[in-house]
Amino acid sequence: MRYLKPATRHIAKGALALLLSSTALQFAVTNSAIGAMKNSVTLGMSLEPPHLDPTAGAAAAIDEVVYANVFEGLTRIDRNGVVKPALAESWSVSDGGKAYTFKLRTGVKFHDGTVFDADDVKFSLDRARGEKSTNAQKRLFKAITSVDVVDAATVKITLSSPAGNFLFNMGWGDAIIVGSESAENNKTTPVGTGPFKFSKWTKGLSIVLAKNDGYWGEQKVLDKAEFRIIPDAAAAVAALLAGDVDGFANFPSPEAIPQFQADPRFTVMVGSTEGETILSTNNKKKPFDDVRVRRAIAHAIDRKAIIDGAMFGLGTPIGTHFAPHHPAYVDNVNKYPHDIAKSKALLAEAGFPDGFKATIKLPPPTYARRGGEIVAASLREVGIDLEIIPVEWGQWLEQVFKGEVKDYDLTIVSHTEPQDIAIYANPGYYFQYDSKAFQDVMEKLNATVDTEGRYALMRQAQNIISEDAVNGYLFQLAKAGVWNAKLEGLWENSPVQANDLTEVHWKE
Amino acid sequence: MLYYLIRRSVSLLLTLALSTIVIFMVMEIVPGDPALIILGIGATDETIAALRQQMGLDLPLLTRYFQWVSGVLVGDLGTSYTYSVPVSELIAERSIVSLPLAIIALTLSTLIAIPTGILAASKRGQVTDTGIMGLTQLGIAIPNFWFAMLMVYIFAVILQWVPAGGFPGWDQGILAALKSLILPAIALALPQAAILSRVTRSALLEALGEDYIRTARAKGLTRSMVLWRHALRNAMIPVLTIMGLQFAFLLAGTIIIENVFYLPGLGRLIFQAITQRDLIVVESTVVLLVASVILINFLVDITYAWVDPRLQSERG
């Protein structure tokens, strides 16, 4: 069935093009009439959040609904990836970067009417780092040794060692501030301080948010926002064309993008994400423990073929594990240019003149399944014969990612956590990369607070992993948004996985 | 009749008991830790352990099986790992979509299939018969999701008579709800109707070839009187069998159609629960479906007995 689908889509699209030309005018008229009147938005999303509590799960879909809309943290990440004040009005850093004093906003209320104050901050952070915590990013809070309420509007957080990323970390969805009275039920009825309050969730279909009239901020927001869950890519195209949804912040099928680009009724915005898509390599397993083999693979990879073939041209090639839109990014794309001869030479040098056999485990996302086939074809050219093993997420997590023995050779996955290069400092991480030089740089980075100093260290770190060719660096996942041309204010990039609706509005 | 009912009921219960074991074991064998899936790749080991404990996944297999089965017996289907709401609530929410959809589709399919099947049989070998059989071939051959997409483009995108998908809920009025269900119901009904129509035709033709038909004809009954009075009733057994199977399929086997129309039905609930390893949702929902399939078959069996009294006295 899966294999038939793309072909069917083309046939359907052909039929559509014929019929559409005659009815486009009629459609445009009805559509604009709706657009002018309404003060609500319906956005499609392909994955349904399992629940709506960002402090209790890793699913990106949770944040895509509630981050900045329903819940707020001390700080927040804005559309450019910059840390901005949120529930904390201002802050000061003392004790050599080991103490943060946050001045909180006053007059803020949770959606259930309870007042937000310093106790809620202490409650939320202690809950997230506590023994029974089921916070998916508990490590964000690892450095905290104590959270002290100075007065109702002041909180002092003490760290065990300076953490240069602390303010950014407090802006993650996992670090949002919850009310002590409502926290238990946030999974099903989220109660936050944001400009939207939770209204209704029809499981499997849609989540509705309504304007929070008592919001502390000054933004004029929509009256209503609905997220509609549409898992099938062809159905997503139809829903957009039929006007059932106003847009997709993350459009699930790159192959349909040109169709919308050519259609004046829609805006197509191709931006960047924090998703480094990489050919993860088991650095402890033979023969991948040999840097020459890893470099040979790096030379064999054809990034352009992968981006064009798997993503229909959407995606920026990368040469290291860092987002290209970040100011500290180092462009190492040409460090290992696509060069079959060089790759073969390196393999011969490593003792594999005739190549070898290995496996590649591919999780379900399109980038992995399609990208994996192209990678396998490229590697076959230099004699590396890859057996493709498709796996489900559950299997991937258990076999590749967790467990004492990392049961894989190669895999493809997009690492979507923002600024996550520090994972290379953990030898137990599934790459099994163990470099003293890299770990030292990370340690220094943790202790550095000034921006320029941090950037210099980030660059150094990027160069080390490029030099060691730890993984095959493929491309930065693009965020392709498609929405009604009259809709404005959605994010172009996703520095964090969110659909911040605070600036979304309809153009006159 | 009573003996027949008791015998049937016992085998029904045994099948059900056996199915709980199979369902539970299969879900436990499939690799994938629900806690890991919920917490993702950034989680620490202690967090995962804490969540496993919270979900009761650290308990021994047998304990969990008996906890689950004893819960199911008293109507407690457990709480979803991912959604954190009672499974019975999830099933109820989905059933108000899936059940009407299955009923509408089955009704449509029956309304199309039986008359066309009878017509084809009565005009055997003629143009009508060939025409109907040709159409049913097409109905079976065309993938229903493709046909569904075609209907979406015509009726939702271009004509804008119905939404492209989704389900507004019954509280938005019966008309709005039916509008959302009509295309998926047609997409589901057509292939089923094609099969059912062919079964009706061949069952009827077989019945028409029996000795008692010849006798009836010899008595002076007209062709159509023979068909309606004698052949049709005898042809109903295979037709009912197929209808029973089709209804079971329509309840949860509609995942592809539910995807095309993004309907929040039972098929998608199970599919999503499997990928997220929401074991308890899969186990409870599947057991409920197995129960309903067994029940439908039971009803079909009873109907057989009613249609064909010989079955009542059959022993062994």
Side-chain angles (χ1 to χ4, degrees), chain A residues 87-366:
Chain A
L87 288 173
E89 219 165 43
S90 60
W91 49 81
S92 59
V93 188
S94 53
D95 193 16
K98 278 174 30 179
Y100 284 77
T101 308
F102 290 94
K103 181 91 190 67
L104 306 179
R105 247 170 244 285
T106 50
V108 177
K109 278 187 176 161
F110 283 98
H111 300 150
D112 62 356
T114 53
V115 174
F116 157 81
D117 62 19
D119 287 326
D120 296 304
V121 176
K122 180 171 170 58
F123 170 79
S124 301
L125 296 180
D126 284 348
R127 176 173 171 262
R129 65 198 187 94
E131 200 176 312
K132 281 191 177 157
S133 160
T134 52
N135 194 300
Q137 308 290 344
K138 198 173 173 184
R139 60 191 170 82
L140 294 179
F141 313 94
K142 213 173 85 187
I144 301 178
T145 50
S146 71
V147 181
D148 300 300
V149 174
V150 179
D151 59 51
T154 317
V155 173
K156 188 181 173 196
I157 298 175
T158 315
L159 307 180
S160 54
S161 58
N165 242 355
F166 187 66
L167 290 170
F168 189 87
N169 288 350
M170 290 300 106
W172 281 53
D174 307 82
I176 49 113
I177 303 301
V178 296
S180 49
E181 294 87 350
S182 49
E184 275 315 302
N185 300 320
N186 277 344
K187 282 185 173 178
T188 46
T189 47
V191 170
T193 55
F196 290 92
K197 57 187 181 203
F198 170 75
S199 168
K200 186 182 173 201
W201 183 1
T202 311
K203 305 235 163 40
L205 185 67
S206 79
I207 298 165
V208 182
L209 307 179
K211 184 181 179 176
N212 168 22
D213 288 318
Y215 185 55
W216 57 267
E218 284 173 8
Q219 290 101 314
K220 263 201 275 178
V221 297
L222 301 160
D223 292 331
K224 189 185 136 193
E226 179 176 347
F227 292 93
R228 200 167 291 179
I229 294 113
I230 305 180
D232 185 72
V237 174
L240 269 172
L241 289 175
D244 286 5
V245 296
D246 299 314
F248 271 81
N250 280 298
F251 195 68
S253 97
E255 57 270 43
I257 293 292
Q259 176 188 350
F260 288 106
Q261 272 167 335
D263 191 330
R265 291 173 293 154
F266 297 98
T267 300
V268 174
M269 196 79 100
V270 178
S272 187
T273 70
E274 293 292 325
E276 290 83 19
T277 311
I278 59 175
L279 176 69
S280 305
T281 309
N282 193 339
N283 277 250
K284 279 247 169 71
K285 194 162 173 184
K286 278 189 189 321
F288 305 102
D289 56 343
D290 187 331
V291 69
R292 290 169 299 189
V293 170
R294 298 197 302 267
R295 284 180 184 152
I297 293 174
H299 277 299
I301 292 168
D302 184 353
R303 292 189 188 88
K304 190 171 164 9
I306 295 168
I307 295 170
D308 288 348
M311 304 310 288
F312 290 79
L314 301 179
T316 314
I318 51 171
T320 182
H321 196 107
F322 222 71
H325 53 80
H326 194 281
Y329 173 71
V330 186
D331 186 354
N332 281 339
V333 172
N334 291 319
K335 193 170 175 71
Y336 305 103
H338 179 53
D339 187 338
I340 301 293
K342 201 154 188 185
S343 174
K344 280 185 170 163
L346 278 164
L347 279 179
E349 205 185 305
F352 300 97
D354 303 319
F356 55 86
K357 277 188 188 207
T359 61
I360 182 165
K361 289 193 171 168
L362 302 176
T366 322

Side-chain angles (χ1 to χ4, degrees), chain B residues 147-162:
Chain B
F147 187 69
M149 281 197 272
L150 198 70
M151 286 199 294
V152 167
Y153 280 117
I154 294 171
F155 296 107
V157 174
I158 293 159
L159 298 172
Q160 309 226 332
W161 289 352
V162 291

Side-chain angles (χ1 to χ4, degrees), chain A residues 426-480:
Chain A
N426 173 7
Y429 206 67
Y430 78 105
F431 315 143
Q432 309 218 68
Y433 170 62
D434 195 352
S435 155
K436 183 80 179 67
F438 186 87
Q439 288 152 17
D440 287 346
V441 171
M442 278 299 118
E443 213 160 287
K444 266 188 236 159
L445 180 65
N446 257 334
T448 310
V449 185
D450 78 289
T451 309
E452 272 319 305
R454 288 181 61 80
Y455 284 3
L457 288 162
M458 287 175 187
R459 290 189 190 103
Q460 216 179 322
Q462 292 173 58
N463 284 328
I464 296 175
I465 56 172
S466 286
E467 184 63 30
D468 286 345
V470 181
N471 297 312
Y473 299 103
L474 306 178
F475 61 91
Q476 195 74 14
L477 210 58
K479 168 184 180 316

Side-chain angles (χ1 to χ4, degrees), chain B residues 9-302:
Chain B
S9 308
V10 171
S11 86
L12 184 148
L13 289 176
L14 277 176
T15 319
L16 207 54
L18 204 66
S19 70
T20 60
I21 298 174
V22 173
I23 292 163
F24 189 82
M25 290 321 290
V26 166
M27 281 317 289
E28 295 303 324
I29 291 168
V30 177
D33 176 356
L36 199 52
I37 292 173
I38 291 169
L39 293 172
I41 62 174
T44 58
D45 289 341
E46 54 171 328
T47 325
I48 293 166
L51 186 62
R52 286 182 64 87
Q53 194 186 0
Q54 197 182 308
M55 298 196 300
L57 283 171
D58 53 340
L59 298 171
L61 206 63
L62 267 180
T63 319
R64 281 167 47 215
Y65 173 74
F66 284 111
Q67 269 182 359
W68 173 59
V69 169
S70 55
V72 170
L73 282 178
V74 297
D76 173 12
L77 301 180
T79 302
S80 159
Y81 295 156
T82 41
Y83 282 128
S84 301
V85 296
V87 179
S88 52
E89 204 176 287
L90 287 174
I91 294 177
E93 282 174 3
R94 303 299 178 108
S95 298
I96 58 165
V97 179
S98 285
L99 213 56
L101 180 61
I103 293 170
I104 298 173
L106 193 69
T107 312
L108 272 178
S109 132
T110 313
L111 286 179
I112 299 169
I114 307 284
T116 51
I118 295 174
L119 190 65
S122 66
K123 309 270 180 193
R124 183 180 189 181
Q126 297 175 24
V127 183
T128 323
D129 182 25
T130 325
I132 290 174
M133 284 307 104
L135 282 176
T136 58
Q137 280 285 12
L138 206 63
I140 295 168
I142 291 178
N144 62 359
F145 73 89
W146 178 82
F147 187 69
M149 281 197 272
L150 198 70
M151 286 199 294
V152 167
Y153 280 117
I154 294 171
F155 296 107
V157 174
I158 293 159
L159 298 172
Q160 309 226 332
W161 289 352
V162 291
F167 184 73
W170 291 100
D171 52 347
Q172 298 295 307
I174 292 194
L175 193 69
L178 287 180
K179 259 180 146 179
S180 305
L181 293 182
I182 189 67
L183 291 190
I186 294 174
L188 286 170
L190 285 187
Q192 309 275 18
I195 296 167
L196 203 58
S197 174
R198 295 179 77 86
V199 172
T200 310
R201 175 182 176 271
S202 58
L204 207 52
L205 286 179
E206 198 179 321
L208 282 170
E210 299 281 344
D211 290 344
Y212 59 83
I213 298 290
R214 218 176 317 136
T215 314
R217 287 279 284 154
K219 270 183 359 190
L221 289 177
T222 63
R223 263 188 75 93
S224 69
M225 280 166 87
V226 167
L227 190 134
W228 291 104
R229 278 200 209 153
H230 297 280
L232 195 58
R233 183 159 176 176
N234 284 293
M236 277 334 271
I237 288 196
V239 174
L240 280 173
T241 312
I242 299 291
M243 278 172 69
L245 291 174
Q246 289 190 341
F247 190 70
F249 165 80
L250 285 170
L251 269 184
T254 58
I255 165 83
I256 294 169
I257 289 298
E258 283 177 12
N259 256 330
V260 173
F261 292 98
Y262 53 102
L263 285 172
L266 280 174
R268 250 179 72 205
L269 175 69
I270 297 172
F271 182 74
Q272 203 175 339
I274 290 174
T275 55
Q276 291 173 339
R277 293 294 182 275
D278 198 341
L279 306 179
I280 190 88
V281 170
V282 182
E283 289 159 1
S284 294
T285 316
V286 172
V287 121
L288 215 67
L289 284 169
V290 169
S292 56
V293 169
I294 294 174
L295 197 73
I296 290 168
N297 282 336
F298 179 68
L299 292 176
V300 170
D301 281 352
I302 292 175

